[in-house]
Amino acid sequence: MTARTPVLIVGAGPIGLALAGDLGWRGNACTLIEKTDGVIDHPKMDLIGVRTMEFCRRWGIADWVRDAPYPGDYPQDYIWLTALTGFELGRERFPGRAFEACPQESPQKRERVPQDMFDPIIKRFATSIPSVTLHHNTELVGFADKGTHVVASVRDTLNGETREIEASYLIGTDGGGSFVREQLKIGMSGHPSLTYTTNVIFRCPNFSELHDKGKGYRFIFIGPEGTWLTIVAINGGDRFRMSIVGTPDKVTHTEADIHAALKRAMGKDFDYEILSVMRWVRRELVADSYGRGRVYLAGDAVHLTSPTGALGMNTGMQDAVDLGWKLDAVLKVWGGENLLASYETERKPVAVRNIKASTENLERMLAPRTTRKPPPEVFVHGPAGDAARKAYGEWYTELMSHEWFMNGYHLGYRYDDSPIVVPDGTPALPLEGRTYTQTARPGARAPHVWLRDGRSTLDLYGRGFVLLRLGAHAPSGAGIASAAASVPLDIVTLDEPAVHKAYQARLLLVRPDGHVAWRADTDPGDAYGVIARVTGALPLRPAQTKAS
């Protein structure tokens, strides 16, 4: 028997799990398949960005992430040094995640939660919804887009049995080596090999007691040749990830190389246990297309980036939310035929910008090997060495600060040129990087403002469209309400000056993903045209319905 599901998602990493959870949260059934058993031996990411945390807040799981096992008091310092028992060149101090304040522009803050802690949380969210079905040890081996549906062939990796699943849509969230993307014959453009890097997860319970640098999240090691290695605190306890930062030339580091690197980083022999080794290529690639027909791609399947800046998984989470509400709309028949086509139009420019920023961060990290190698005095004791280390460390600290502060990327992505956004004639603000200035210009994320009742304005958005009426004498919005009769729409009236100041209009239409779709100070002359634009369709007017 052929199983049937509205949406088949291939790949149960954080993006696939988030998409399944978002679809289920919106009241849709979906099936998620994963070819592995789901166990994560080598976490690839560990920073949950502020926008991802806003999504978790929407889904009701922000507290789950906040309460993850990563210790809240573990310092998040970034430290650059010659060796752990050598010279410190500088550091950027950050408190433990429990003590970091939320930025002014969000009700949430970033969280240090590695993938082996975060994936179980997002999996718990998705699988707690009865309409979401998850199958591990199930591999996609082929699919055919029939025009009205997709037929997928899947194989049980334990017993080898194959079966078919029929879906209205198939979504590939199956990573950088995406089978779905390959079957669609979609290429990727950019730089295929920035560095060949070797990651090593090792256990060392007394790591911070072996040197005088104290606890920190990320240690960046600089030798005479420049930046050559990093070590990060994976779990704020006994597990660490060492990365031998390579070059575009392929080098396979041996076991002896790994032990030598650990000894050089510490500055002496020490006891540790190697848990896993992963050799990988740092890339800067974006897919030429985000899908075809009834098959779409998200996450690493469409963009591969250097992890410098934590924009990889977090960009994929934005993909999942953008695609989630649009699939919901189409499945429930209020989304028009052009709605899903807007997915690539909106998301691809964001990916291009984010991977470029990530590569720029990598170039800054590697600047000691390319643009300004450390002078020999940096490695020598004495007053001359102290002065050289101070000057070099100050330069590198300022250079690296671009990576630590990136809310202009995490929160400031916009859909200015989207076909389902109605421009209001105001000029676009310059895109920011290190900082983020909130704007309610159509296409932007609707601003966060604390309401008198203790909620954030962001708590108003998510399920469907929201029509905001701002001020005591705001227009009625009756035209929008009438035109959106078949569209999920809540009307919210707020007489709070801080909200009006942030949103700069008296009427605003906010999309299910929390982005502004339209704004004005008066009711629109063509409300049906507005709704047609933002839903990707041209609904029939009442007169046309009667005529038909």
Side-chain angles (χ1 to χ4, degrees):
M1 296 292 291
T2 300
R4 289 176 173 80
T5 183
V7 180
L8 175 62
I9 303 168
V10 181
I15 310 310
L17 289 165
L19 177 57
D22 190 69
L23 286 170
W25 181 77
R26 297 180 185 281
N28 299 284
C30 62
T31 298
L32 177 61
I33 62 171
E34 167 59 43
K35 65 182 179 181
T36 72
D37 60 5
V39 175
I40 300 167
D41 296 320
H42 201 111
K44 298 178 183 178
M45 66 84 189
D46 51 28
L47 183 71
I48 313 304
V50 61
R51 185 57 172 158
T52 298
M53 285 304 301
E54 290 178 354
F55 299 149
C56 291
R57 180 187 181 95
R58 174 186 302 173
W59 297 325
I61 64 171
D63 289 351
W64 300 1
V65 182
R66 181 201 63 197
D67 297 336
Y70 197 104
D73 61 351
Y74 188 88
Q76 294 296 292
D77 292 9
Y78 293 73
I79 306 161
W80 15 106
L81 65 171
T82 61
L84 286 159
T85 56
F87 298 112
E88 179 175 318
L89 304 177
R91 71 170 64 204
E92 191 82 57
R93 296 185 183 274
F94 290 101
R97 68 189 188 99
F99 302 101
E100 185 174 19
C102 294
Q104 184 178 2
E105 58 270 20
S106 179
Q108 298 294 148
K109 58 183 176 62
R110 58 190 177 185
E111 296 285 354
R112 182 72 64 193
V113 181
Q115 187 178 0
D116 55 350
M117 296 179 187
F118 182 67
D119 276 21
I121 292 171
I122 207 79
K123 176 183 174 183
R124 175 184 165 197
F125 160 60
T127 57
S128 69
I129 303 170
S131 61
V132 175
T133 302
L134 170 61
H135 296 296
H136 283 113
N137 301 303
T138 304
E139 182 179 15
L140 180 72
V141 294
F143 63 88
D145 187 341
K146 301 294 187 180
T148 57
H149 61 280
V150 179
V151 177
S153 298
V154 301
R155 181 177 66 88
D156 188 311
T157 60
L158 299 180
N159 61 26
E161 294 181 357
T162 61
R163 57 191 176 93
E164 288 189 343
I165 301 176
E166 182 181 299
S168 297
Y169 296 94
L170 186 149
I171 314 298
T173 56
D174 50 342
S178 172
F179 175 77
V180 177
R181 188 189 67 238
E182 290 179 355
Q183 292 300 109
L184 292 175
K185 293 181 171 53
I186 293 174
M188 301 191 84
S189 298
H191 301 286
S193 56
L194 299 173
T195 69
Y196 282 84
T197 297
T198 299
N199 280 5
V200 179
I201 304 291
F202 67 95
R203 178 180 286 122
C204 181
N206 64 334
F207 185 79
S208 63
E209 300 170 9
L210 300 174
H211 55 82
D212 63 354
K213 303 303 182 289
K215 293 181 178 179
Y217 163 68
R218 185 175 177 187
F219 299 87
I220 299 177
F221 295 84
I222 298 175
E225 74 273 43
T227 312
W228 68 280
L229 184 114
T230 66
I231 292 178
V232 301
I234 286 291
N235 66 345
D238 63 347
R239 282 192 298 135
F240 298 84
R241 181 177 66 236
M242 176 185 76
S243 297
I244 303 175
V245 184
T247 71
D249 299 321
K250 187 174 183 178
V251 175
T252 301
H253 294 104
T254 66
E255 184 176 342
D257 293 333
I258 291 170
H259 290 299
L262 282 165
K263 180 179 179 179
R264 180 184 175 189
M266 182 60 72
K268 62 182 181 181
D269 285 317
F270 69 105
D271 293 328
Y272 54 84
E273 177 190 2
I274 293 180
L275 303 178
S276 65
V277 177
M278 182 179 74
R279 295 172 175 85
W280 60 288
V281 185
R282 198 184 307 256
R283 305 184 190 277
E284 181 188 339
L285 296 171
V286 176
D288 298 332
S289 170
Y290 272 40
R292 188 171 297 138
R294 287 182 169 265
V295 183
Y296 293 87
L297 304 161
D300 284 357
V302 281
H303 43 76
L304 289 168
T305 180
S306 170
T308 40
L311 291 174
M313 186 279 294
N314 290 294
T315 301
M317 294 294 281
Q318 298 162 17
D319 296 342
V321 170
D322 188 87
L323 191 53
W325 82 266
K326 292 171 181 175
L327 285 168
D328 172 66
V330 172
L331 292 170
K332 293 176 180 173
V333 199
W334 59 264
E337 61 182 12
N338 297 317
L339 188 59
L340 282 172
S342 71
Y343 167 61
E344 177 178 330
T345 305
E346 292 188 340
R347 293 302 308 158
K348 186 173 180 178
V350 176
V352 170
R353 179 175 184 250
N354 285 359
I355 67 166
K356 182 176 183 293
S358 300
T359 299
E360 290 171 352
N361 285 335
L362 173 67
E363 291 169 348
R364 294 184 186 102
M365 188 182 81
L366 299 181
R369 72 160 72 158
T370 56
T371 62
R372 184 176 173 180
K373 288 194 174 184
E377 293 81 9
V378 163
F379 306 97
V380 178
H381 287 279
D386 293 340
R389 284 185 287 276
K390 183 177 184 297
Y392 198 77
E394 288 176 350
W395 164 74
Y396 196 62
T397 299
E398 171 56 29
L399 190 70
M400 292 299 291
S401 65
H402 291 267
E403 181 177 341
W404 319 144
F405 305 99
M406 298 193 69
N407 275 355
Y409 294 93
H410 284 280
L411 293 174
Y413 62 94
R414 304 198 305 254
Y415 304 138
D416 292 342
D417 300 320
S418 170
I420 60 168
V421 166
V422 182
D424 66 352
T426 59
L429 297 173
L431 290 169
E432 297 175 278
R434 298 178 67 168
T435 59
Y436 174 53
T437 304
Q438 296 196 105
T439 175
R441 187 176 185 268
R445 158 192 169 273
H448 152 69
V449 181
W450 287 115
L451 302 176
R452 295 191 189 102
D453 63 9
R455 291 180 299 164
S456 164
T457 47
L458 302 193
D459 297 331
L460 304 173
Y461 318 131
R463 295 285 188 184
F465 280 85
V466 173
L467 179 64
L468 290 178
R469 300 179 61 249
L470 302 182
H473 305 290
S476 69
I480 290 284
S482 175
S486 62
V487 175
L489 175 72
D490 288 331
I491 300 175
V492 177
T493 301
L494 296 173
D495 187 11
E496 302 200 22
V499 179
H500 188 233
K501 180 180 179 181
Y503 282 71
Q504 293 290 299
R506 298 166 69 196
L507 279 180
L508 296 100
L509 189 62
V510 181
R511 307 184 333 180
D513 62 347
H515 283 251
V516 177
W518 168 88
R519 71 173 177 175
D521 282 322
T522 60
D523 286 302
D526 182 10
Y528 285 95
V530 170
I531 296 301
R533 180 84 172 257
V534 302
T535 60
L538 182 62
L540 293 176
R541 299 172 187 263
Q544 292 174 306
T545 303
K546 291 177 183 177
S548 64

